[in-house]
PDB file of all heavy atoms in Angstrom:
ATOM      1  N   ILE A 239     -12.984   9.222  17.191  1.00  0.00           N
ATOM      2  CA  ILE A 239     -13.641   8.279  18.096  1.00  0.00           C
ATOM      3  C   ILE A 239     -15.163   8.412  17.999  1.00  0.00           C
ATOM      4  O   ILE A 239     -15.894   7.416  17.963  1.00  0.00           O
ATOM      5  CB  ILE A 239     -13.180   8.510  19.552  1.00  0.00           C
ATOM      6  CG1 ILE A 239     -11.705   8.110  19.706  1.00  0.00           C
ATOM      7  CG2 ILE A 239     -14.055   7.757  20.539  1.00  0.00           C
ATOM      8  CD1 ILE A 239     -11.445   6.629  19.591  1.00  0.00           C
ATOM      9  N   ALA A 240     -15.655   9.638  17.925  1.00  0.00           N
ATOM     10  CA  ALA A 240     -17.101   9.867  17.843  1.00  0.00           C
ATOM     11  C   ALA A 240     -17.695   9.300  16.559  1.00  0.00           C
ATOM     12  O   ALA A 240     -18.859   8.896  16.530  1.00  0.00           O
ATOM     13  CB  ALA A 240     -17.396  11.364  17.947  1.00  0.00           C
ATOM     14  N   ALA A 241     -16.888   9.252  15.495  1.00  0.00           N
ATOM     15  CA  ALA A 241     -17.402   8.742  14.219  1.00  0.00           C
ATOM     16  C   ALA A 241     -17.733   7.258  14.288  1.00  0.00           C
ATOM     17  O   ALA A 241     -18.577   6.765  13.532  1.00  0.00           O
ATOM     18  CB  ALA A 241     -16.377   8.995  13.112  1.00  0.00           C
ATOM     19  N   GLN A 242     -17.064   6.506  15.142  1.00  0.00           N
ATOM     20  CA  GLN A 242     -17.313   5.079  15.365  1.00  0.00           C
ATOM     21  C   GLN A 242     -17.237   4.253  14.078  1.00  0.00           C
ATOM     22  O   GLN A 242     -17.996   3.309  13.891  1.00  0.00           O
ATOM     23  CB  GLN A 242     -18.678   4.864  16.036  1.00  0.00           C
ATOM     24  CG  GLN A 242     -18.826   5.522  17.383  1.00  0.00           C
ATOM     25  CD  GLN A 242     -20.098   5.130  18.080  1.00  0.00           C
ATOM     26  OE1 GLN A 242     -20.244   4.006  18.570  1.00  0.00           O
ATOM     27  NE2 GLN A 242     -21.058   6.046  18.124  1.00  0.00           N
ATOM     28  N   ARG A 243     -16.332   4.617  13.179  1.00  0.00           N
ATOM     29  CA  ARG A 243     -16.227   3.860  11.933  1.00  0.00           C
ATOM     30  C   ARG A 243     -14.789   3.513  11.564  1.00  0.00           C
ATOM     31  O   ARG A 243     -14.549   2.907  10.528  1.00  0.00           O
ATOM     32  CB  ARG A 243     -16.883   4.626  10.777  1.00  0.00           C
ATOM     33  CG  ARG A 243     -16.285   6.001  10.486  1.00  0.00           C
ATOM     34  CD  ARG A 243     -17.154   6.756   9.483  1.00  0.00           C
ATOM     35  NE  ARG A 243     -16.641   8.078   9.157  1.00  0.00           N
ATOM     36  CZ  ARG A 243     -15.776   8.332   8.185  1.00  0.00           C
ATOM     37  NH1 ARG A 243     -15.323   7.349   7.438  1.00  0.00           N
ATOM     38  NH2 ARG A 243     -15.377   9.568   7.942  1.00  0.00           N
ATOM     39  N   PHE A 244     -13.839   3.886  12.426  1.00  0.00           N
ATOM     40  CA  PHE A 244     -12.439   3.616  12.130  1.00  0.00           C
ATOM     41  C   PHE A 244     -11.942   2.460  12.992  1.00  0.00           C
ATOM     42  O   PHE A 244     -12.070   2.498  14.218  1.00  0.00           O
ATOM     43  CB  PHE A 244     -11.599   4.868  12.375  1.00  0.00           C
ATOM     44  CG  PHE A 244     -12.041   6.058  11.566  1.00  0.00           C
ATOM     45  CD1 PHE A 244     -12.560   7.181  12.189  1.00  0.00           C
ATOM     46  CD2 PHE A 244     -11.954   6.037  10.181  1.00  0.00           C
ATOM     47  CE1 PHE A 244     -12.978   8.270  11.444  1.00  0.00           C
ATOM     48  CE2 PHE A 244     -12.366   7.121   9.431  1.00  0.00           C
ATOM     49  CZ  PHE A 244     -12.881   8.247  10.059  1.00  0.00           C
ATOM     50  N   PRO A 245     -11.372   1.427  12.382  1.00  0.00           N
ATOM     51  CA  PRO A 245     -10.926   0.256  13.156  1.00  0.00           C
ATOM     52  C   PRO A 245      -9.706   0.523  14.025  1.00  0.00           C
ATOM     53  O   PRO A 245      -9.429  -0.255  14.935  1.00  0.00           O
ATOM     54  CB  PRO A 245     -10.626  -0.793  12.087  1.00  0.00           C
ATOM     55  CG  PRO A 245     -10.383  -0.019  10.838  1.00  0.00           C
ATOM     56  CD  PRO A 245     -11.207   1.212  10.926  1.00  0.00           C
ATOM     57  N   TYR A 246      -8.969   1.591  13.743  1.00  0.00           N
ATOM     58  CA  TYR A 246      -7.780   1.906  14.539  1.00  0.00           C
ATOM     59  C   TYR A 246      -7.682   3.416  14.671  1.00  0.00           C
ATOM     60  O   TYR A 246      -7.629   4.140  13.670  1.00  0.00           O
ATOM     61  CB  TYR A 246      -6.519   1.349  13.876  1.00  0.00           C
ATOM     62  CG  TYR A 246      -5.224   1.644  14.621  1.00  0.00           C
ATOM     63  CD1 TYR A 246      -4.653   0.696  15.465  1.00  0.00           C
ATOM     64  CD2 TYR A 246      -4.579   2.877  14.477  1.00  0.00           C
ATOM     65  CE1 TYR A 246      -3.467   0.961  16.145  1.00  0.00           C
ATOM     66  CE2 TYR A 246      -3.395   3.144  15.159  1.00  0.00           C
ATOM     67  CZ  TYR A 246      -2.851   2.192  15.985  1.00  0.00           C
ATOM     68  OH  TYR A 246      -1.683   2.457  16.665  1.00  0.00           O
ATOM     69  N   VAL A 247      -7.689   3.905  15.908  1.00  0.00           N
ATOM     70  CA  VAL A 247      -7.428   5.314  16.193  1.00  0.00           C
ATOM     71  C   VAL A 247      -6.314   5.357  17.222  1.00  0.00           C
ATOM     72  O   VAL A 247      -6.501   4.953  18.373  1.00  0.00           O
ATOM     73  CB  VAL A 247      -8.677   6.050  16.730  1.00  0.00           C
ATOM     74  CG1 VAL A 247      -8.336   7.511  17.032  1.00  0.00           C
ATOM     75  CG2 VAL A 247      -9.829   5.960  15.736  1.00  0.00           C
ATOM     76  N   GLY A 248      -5.145   5.815  16.808  1.00  0.00           N
ATOM     77  CA  GLY A 248      -3.980   5.825  17.673  1.00  0.00           C
ATOM     78  C   GLY A 248      -3.513   7.242  17.984  1.00  0.00           C
ATOM     79  O   GLY A 248      -3.582   8.130  17.129  1.00  0.00           O
ATOM     80  N   LEU A 249      -3.045   7.443  19.197  1.00  0.00           N
ATOM     81  CA  LEU A 249      -2.574   8.743  19.649  1.00  0.00           C
ATOM     82  C   LEU A 249      -1.212   8.573  20.310  1.00  0.00           C
ATOM     83  O   LEU A 249      -1.060   7.752  21.233  1.00  0.00           O
ATOM     84  CB  LEU A 249      -3.561   9.336  20.659  1.00  0.00           C
ATOM     85  CG  LEU A 249      -3.107  10.576  21.441  1.00  0.00           C
ATOM     86  CD1 LEU A 249      -2.990  11.790  20.522  1.00  0.00           C
ATOM     87  CD2 LEU A 249      -4.084  10.872  22.590  1.00  0.00           C
ATOM     88  N   ILE A 250      -0.216   9.332  19.858  1.00  0.00           N
ATOM     89  CA  ILE A 250       1.079   9.267  20.506  1.00  0.00           C
ATOM     90  C   ILE A 250       0.990   9.938  21.877  1.00  0.00           C
ATOM     91  O   ILE A 250       0.298  10.942  22.044  1.00  0.00           O
ATOM     92  CB  ILE A 250       2.168   9.935  19.634  1.00  0.00           C
ATOM     93  CG1 ILE A 250       3.565   9.523  20.105  1.00  0.00           C
ATOM     94  CG2 ILE A 250       2.017  11.444  19.620  1.00  0.00           C
ATOM     95  CD1 ILE A 250       4.673   9.911  19.140  1.00  0.00           C
ATOM     96  N   GLY A 251       1.648   9.363  22.856  1.00  0.00           N
ATOM     97  CA  GLY A 251       1.622   9.972  24.177  1.00  0.00           C
ATOM     98  C   GLY A 251       1.731   8.947  25.289  1.00  0.00           C
ATOM     99  O   GLY A 251       1.754   7.735  25.043  1.00  0.00           O
ATOM    100  N   SER A 252       1.761   9.440  26.502  1.00  0.00           N
ATOM    101  CA  SER A 252       1.922   8.612  27.692  1.00  0.00           C
ATOM    102  C   SER A 252       0.572   8.208  28.266  1.00  0.00           C
ATOM    103  O   SER A 252      -0.484   8.654  27.805  1.00  0.00           O
ATOM    104  CB  SER A 252       2.692   9.402  28.752  1.00  0.00           C
ATOM    105  OG  SER A 252       1.933  10.558  29.121  1.00  0.00           O
ATOM    106  N   GLU A 253       0.623   7.383  29.318  1.00  0.00           N
ATOM    107  CA  GLU A 253      -0.598   7.030  30.036  1.00  0.00           C
ATOM    108  C   GLU A 253      -1.229   8.273  30.658  1.00  0.00           C
ATOM    109  O   GLU A 253      -2.459   8.376  30.744  1.00  0.00           O
ATOM    110  CB  GLU A 253      -0.282   5.993  31.117  1.00  0.00           C
ATOM    111  CG  GLU A 253       0.152   4.629  30.587  1.00  0.00           C
ATOM    112  CD  GLU A 253      -1.005   3.853  29.962  1.00  0.00           C
ATOM    113  OE1 GLU A 253      -2.165   4.317  30.042  1.00  0.00           O
ATOM    114  OE2 GLU A 253      -0.739   2.776  29.388  1.00  0.00           O
ATOM    115  N   THR A 254      -0.414   9.214  31.079  1.00  0.00           N
ATOM    116  CA  THR A 254      -0.940  10.456  31.649  1.00  0.00           C
ATOM    117  C   THR A 254      -1.720  11.249  30.608  1.00  0.00           C
ATOM    118  O   THR A 254      -2.811  11.763  30.886  1.00  0.00           O
ATOM    119  CB  THR A 254       0.217  11.320  32.200  1.00  0.00           C
ATOM    120  OG1 THR A 254       0.909  10.588  33.205  1.00  0.00           O
ATOM    121  CG2 THR A 254      -0.309  12.616  32.788  1.00  0.00           C
ATOM    122  N   LYS A 255      -1.168  11.335  29.400  1.00  0.00           N
ATOM    123  CA  LYS A 255      -1.873  12.044  28.330  1.00  0.00           C
ATOM    124  C   LYS A 255      -3.182  11.336  28.008  1.00  0.00           C
ATOM    125  O   LYS A 255      -4.218  11.986  27.818  1.00  0.00           O
ATOM    126  CB  LYS A 255      -0.993  12.117  27.071  1.00  0.00           C
ATOM    127  CG  LYS A 255      -1.625  12.887  25.912  1.00  0.00           C
ATOM    128  CD  LYS A 255      -0.659  12.995  24.736  1.00  0.00           C
ATOM    129  CE  LYS A 255      -1.270  13.763  23.576  1.00  0.00           C
ATOM    130  NZ  LYS A 255      -0.338  13.880  22.428  1.00  0.00           N
ATOM    131  N   ARG A 256      -3.162  10.028  28.008  1.00  0.00           N
ATOM    132  CA  ARG A 256      -4.385   9.279  27.746  1.00  0.00           C
ATOM    133  C   ARG A 256      -5.442   9.587  28.795  1.00  0.00           C
ATOM    134  O   ARG A 256      -6.613   9.822  28.468  1.00  0.00           O
ATOM    135  CB  ARG A 256      -4.101   7.773  27.712  1.00  0.00           C
ATOM    136  CG  ARG A 256      -5.355   6.958  27.429  1.00  0.00           C
ATOM    137  CD  ARG A 256      -5.210   5.473  27.632  1.00  0.00           C
ATOM    138  NE  ARG A 256      -6.483   4.838  27.337  1.00  0.00           N
ATOM    139  CZ  ARG A 256      -6.788   4.249  26.196  1.00  0.00           C
ATOM    140  NH1 ARG A 256      -5.877   4.167  25.230  1.00  0.00           N
ATOM    141  NH2 ARG A 256      -7.983   3.736  25.999  1.00  0.00           N
ATOM    142  N   ALA A 257      -5.051   9.572  30.074  1.00  0.00           N
ATOM    143  CA  ALA A 257      -6.010   9.826  31.149  1.00  0.00           C
ATOM    144  C   ALA A 257      -6.651  11.203  30.996  1.00  0.00           C
ATOM    145  O   ALA A 257      -7.866  11.362  31.193  1.00  0.00           O
ATOM    146  CB  ALA A 257      -5.314   9.697  32.495  1.00  0.00           C
ATOM    147  N   ARG A 258      -5.842  12.196  30.652  1.00  0.00           N
ATOM    148  CA  ARG A 258      -6.392  13.549  30.475  1.00  0.00           C
ATOM    149  C   ARG A 258      -7.351  13.611  29.296  1.00  0.00           C
ATOM    150  O   ARG A 258      -8.402  14.249  29.365  1.00  0.00           O
ATOM    151  CB  ARG A 258      -5.243  14.542  30.288  1.00  0.00           C
ATOM    152  CG  ARG A 258      -4.425  14.771  31.562  1.00  0.00           C
ATOM    153  CD  ARG A 258      -3.247  15.681  31.306  1.00  0.00           C
ATOM    154  NE  ARG A 258      -2.504  15.940  32.542  1.00  0.00           N
ATOM    155  CZ  ARG A 258      -1.348  16.575  32.608  1.00  0.00           C
ATOM    156  NH1 ARG A 258      -0.787  17.023  31.481  1.00  0.00           N
ATOM    157  NH2 ARG A 258      -0.742  16.772  33.756  1.00  0.00           N
ATOM    158  N   PHE A 259      -6.991  12.938  28.209  1.00  0.00           N
ATOM    159  CA  PHE A 259      -7.866  12.926  27.037  1.00  0.00           C
ATOM    160  C   PHE A 259      -9.161  12.170  27.338  1.00  0.00           C
ATOM    161  O   PHE A 259     -10.242  12.582  26.902  1.00  0.00           O
ATOM    162  CB  PHE A 259      -7.133  12.304  25.846  1.00  0.00           C
ATOM    163  CG  PHE A 259      -6.322  13.288  25.039  1.00  0.00           C
ATOM    164  CD1 PHE A 259      -5.514  14.232  25.676  1.00  0.00           C
ATOM    165  CD2 PHE A 259      -6.350  13.283  23.660  1.00  0.00           C
ATOM    166  CE1 PHE A 259      -4.768  15.144  24.947  1.00  0.00           C
ATOM    167  CE2 PHE A 259      -5.609  14.187  22.914  1.00  0.00           C
ATOM    168  CZ  PHE A 259      -4.814  15.120  23.563  1.00  0.00           C
ATOM    169  N   GLU A 260      -9.068  11.063  28.067  1.00  0.00           N
ATOM    170  CA  GLU A 260     -10.275  10.308  28.426  1.00  0.00           C
ATOM    171  C   GLU A 260     -11.228  11.181  29.234  1.00  0.00           C
ATOM    172  O   GLU A 260     -12.447  11.167  29.005  1.00  0.00           O
ATOM    173  CB  GLU A 260      -9.901   9.057  29.217  1.00  0.00           C
ATOM    174  CG  GLU A 260      -9.340   7.935  28.388  1.00  0.00           C
ATOM    175  CD  GLU A 260      -9.238   6.641  29.178  1.00  0.00           C
ATOM    176  OE1 GLU A 260      -9.638   6.624  30.368  1.00  0.00           O
ATOM    177  OE2 GLU A 260      -8.755   5.644  28.604  1.00  0.00           O
ATOM    178  N   HIS A 261     -10.696  11.908  30.193  1.00  0.00           N
ATOM    179  CA  HIS A 261     -11.526  12.780  31.026  1.00  0.00           C
ATOM    180  C   HIS A 261     -12.243  13.818  30.168  1.00  0.00           C
ATOM    181  O   HIS A 261     -13.455  14.046  30.321  1.00  0.00           O
ATOM    182  CB  HIS A 261     -10.654  13.472  32.085  1.00  0.00           C
ATOM    183  CG  HIS A 261     -11.409  14.401  32.985  1.00  0.00           C
ATOM    184  ND1 HIS A 261     -12.215  13.951  34.008  1.00  0.00           N
ATOM    185  CD2 HIS A 261     -11.484  15.764  33.000  1.00  0.00           C
ATOM    186  CE1 HIS A 261     -12.755  14.983  34.623  1.00  0.00           C
ATOM    187  NE2 HIS A 261     -12.320  16.106  34.031  1.00  0.00           N
TER     188      HIS A 261
END
Side-chain angles (χ1 to χ4, degrees):
I239 291 291
Q242 300 188 73
R243 60 189 180 88
F244 302 114
Y246 179 98
V247 179
L249 169 69
I250 196 169
S252 62
E253 293 288 354
T254 300
K255 182 176 180 180
R256 180 191 180 99
R258 290 176 178 172
F259 272 45
E260 284 191 2
H261 179 76

